[in-house]
Amino acid sequence: MSRYYLAVDIGASSGRHILGKMENGKIVLEEVYRFDNRQIRHDGHDCWDMENLWDGILNGLKVCKDIGKIPETVGIDTWAVDYVLLDENDQILGDAVAYRDGRTEGMDQWVESMISPEELYAKTGIQKQIFNTIYQLIAQKQEHPEQLEQAKSLLMIPDYFHYLLTGIKKQEYTNATSTNLVNAGQRRWDYDLIARLGLPENIFGELSMPGTIVGEFSTEIQEKVGFCATVVLPATHDTGSAFLAVPARDDHAVYLSSGTWSLLGVENEEPITSEESRAENFTNEGGAWYRYRYLKNIMGLWMIQSIRRELNGVNYVVGKTVRTAAKKQWSFPDLIAAAKDAKAFSSVVDVDDACFLSPESMIQAVKDACARTGQPVPETVGEIMQCVYVSLTNRYAEAIHDLENLTGKTYTSINVVGGGCQDQYLNQMTANRTGLPVYAGPVEGTAIGNLLVQMIQAGEFDSLQAAREAVHRSFDIREIRANEK
């Protein structure tokens, strides 16, 4: 009889329930449910619709019961940095504000008046991004100080849903590091930093590693979904899970988790918190088993996704959706074909510029960036797409060059996991630009990494290395060499 494990993997636009099991030495996946993730506008901020997400989680669990495939364990992963505060009755204070909301504007300057960027990086090793939790908490403190005063708990988004399933609160390590408030060397909350910023120390508790058992479904949840399962912490930061699924052949491989964001880097045993590393804006995110994901956070498929939506008359702007008439509906293959037709177009933009974070029009943002830098402005869809592809792959190459300088290593391959591994044009351009072979796959890297932690905890594998070897034999990994036609 099969033993099932369930990964609930929630991204910026949707969530999925993916069952995993072992069969003849291979990992077998089955997506059993998918639900939309959306943002709502409330009290002047762009917020996650937490009720919708919770309904999606429960409905997917009910489907497992309906199809007779009951998971032994369950783990939830999401994006990083966003959180909720709970009061003494464990009710959410305020809203679960989304990281693309503009409330953090100027908060970096406030933090830097309390602690210099150099000291902050030396302590936490986390790259500066205006949406990091540290800036969100300061924004909340300035706008709603009463909420922080009343807060008894801080839970990152997946920690909160684990609490709703079990009634037990755990603060998971990998996601906690994204707050910019965990001491990289000590691997715990930096209470000196927290005190200097005037944040309440009581909401920062003991950190738990992936593989920790949270508890069983509460009686209320068992009655709702029709079964009992044990909640096990995965690497709740989705990138932390995705990196676990990389079937790297050696320690000279670069990892690239390719989705809405491109997370490019390596695994280290110790953090690198030098001034040189800070200047290059590399981050040391905590990983499972105290590995460090040393990486560059690069704008990813968000640009391509936004262009496609806009062309199709659905222009998503944070907190709202603007619909207009579209002459045709563009698929991703259509966009790739258009880019290939315009391969001679060579304008390049800085994909990490804040202008691409949440523009009213991604197409216009690309055009404006080219104009500002005195380059030819793309006019056709193909030219716009080619500009984005060239810009992304140039950034990948620059990041690998910087990575080699900072680590003193030479890297010999790029391992791509996540949705972006399906974009063969992007993979080919990456291989051509970097001169390194690209190994593309598996697609469901985040869900697989989530499941691997559960399976290791259950005894299916005796080590991460054994689990990664199973990934390599279980899923198609395509090799792309430079200059292929």
Side-chain angles (χ1 to χ4, degrees), residues 32-322:
V32 297
Y33 190 70
R34 182 179 288 262
F35 58 97
D36 289 337
N37 187 8
R38 63 191 183 212
Q39 293 177 21
I40 54 177
R41 190 76 178 172
H42 188 254
D43 287 343
H45 294 295
D46 302 310
C47 308
W48 298 109
D49 189 339
M50 298 294 281
E51 291 185 7
N52 173 69
L53 288 175
W54 179 232
D55 287 343
I57 292 169
L58 291 180
N59 290 337
L61 293 173
K62 292 174 184 177
V63 170
C64 293
K65 171 65 173 177
D66 292 342
I67 64 177
K69 297 179 178 179
I70 307 300
E72 293 185 11
T73 62
V74 177
I76 301 173
D77 66 79
T78 74
W79 62 96
V81 305
D82 288 340
Y83 65 93
V84 295
L85 296 177
L86 303 183
D87 65 15
E88 60 184 4
N89 298 313
D90 294 324
Q91 299 301 305
I92 294 179
L93 289 159
D95 294 299
V97 178
Y99 67 87
R100 291 185 189 273
D101 182 78
R103 68 173 175 166
T104 55
E105 183 177 353
M107 295 302 104
D108 55 335
Q109 298 170 25
W110 192 96
V111 170
E112 288 168 10
S113 71
M114 297 290 106
I115 181 171
S116 71
E118 294 81 3
E119 185 183 359
L120 180 60
Y121 188 83
K123 279 175 168 287
T124 68
I126 297 299
Q127 74 179 114
K128 179 179 178 180
Q129 297 178 114
I130 193 60
F131 48 73
N132 286 351
T133 316
I134 188 173
Y135 304 121
Q136 293 198 49
L137 284 168
I138 296 304
Q140 189 166 8
K141 179 182 177 182
Q142 294 201 2
E143 184 179 7
H144 291 291
E146 76 284 357
Q147 293 175 357
L148 278 167
E149 291 169 3
Q150 297 167 23
K152 301 301 180 183
S153 305
L154 177 147
L155 294 177
M156 307 302 281
I157 298 297
D159 292 338
Y160 176 65
F161 289 130
H162 287 149
Y163 161 69
L164 291 183
L165 287 173
T166 64
I168 299 170
K169 300 172 188 174
K170 296 283 187 183
Q171 292 179 315
E172 190 272 327
Y173 169 72
T174 69
N175 214 340
T177 64
S178 76
T179 64
N180 221 142
L181 292 167
V182 171
N183 188 288
Q186 298 175 2
R187 299 165 176 167
R188 63 174 179 82
W189 297 112
D190 193 311
Y191 289 104
D192 171 69
L193 172 60
I194 288 166
R196 286 164 66 179
L197 295 175
L199 298 174
E201 296 183 26
N202 65 293
I203 64 177
F204 302 97
E206 181 182 357
L207 297 179
S208 299
M209 286 298 296
T212 299
I213 294 175
V214 180
E216 294 187 344
F217 286 177
S218 67
T219 301
E220 179 185 0
I221 298 302
Q222 292 180 46
E223 291 174 351
K224 286 184 177 181
V225 303
F227 66 91
C228 183
T230 300
V231 174
V232 173
L233 291 180
T236 62
H237 182 184
D238 51 11
T239 308
S241 281
F243 266 46
L244 293 176
V246 175
R249 291 157 177 77
D250 54 48
D251 62 357
H252 291 275
V254 172
Y255 297 4
L256 176 56
S257 177
S258 181
T260 300
W261 292 90
S262 295
L263 294 309
L264 186 149
V266 296
E267 285 185 320
N268 289 334
E269 294 184 359
E270 297 294 334
I272 301 175
T273 58
S274 65
E275 180 59 18
E276 293 79 9
S277 180
R278 185 192 72 85
E280 295 296 345
N281 214 27
F282 271 77
T283 199
N284 296 267
E285 295 177 352
W289 298 285
Y290 291 123
R291 295 164 177 266
Y292 291 89
R293 299 191 311 281
Y294 188 59
L295 54 84
K296 174 80 76 171
N297 197 339
I298 301 168
M299 187 70 71
L301 303 184
W302 167 254
M303 295 181 74
I304 296 173
Q305 294 161 350
S306 298
I307 289 167
R308 177 174 176 262
R309 281 192 295 263
E310 190 173 343
L311 290 170
N312 290 342
V314 183
N315 187 14
Y316 174 76
V317 180
V318 175
K320 61 182 179 180
T321 301
V322 179

Side-chain angles (χ1 to χ4, degrees), residues 3-16:
R3 301 174 67 188
Y4 290 101
Y5 310 90
L6 179 66
V8 182
D9 173 29
I10 306 177
S13 60
S14 67
R16 297 91 48 74

Side-chain angles (χ1 to χ4, degrees), residues 325-346:
K327 294 181 179 179
K328 66 168 288 186
Q329 293 294 300
W330 291 80
S331 66
F332 288 115
D334 290 337
L335 295 177
I336 292 171
K340 289 180 177 179
D341 288 342
K343 62 183 179 181
F345 191 80
S346 59

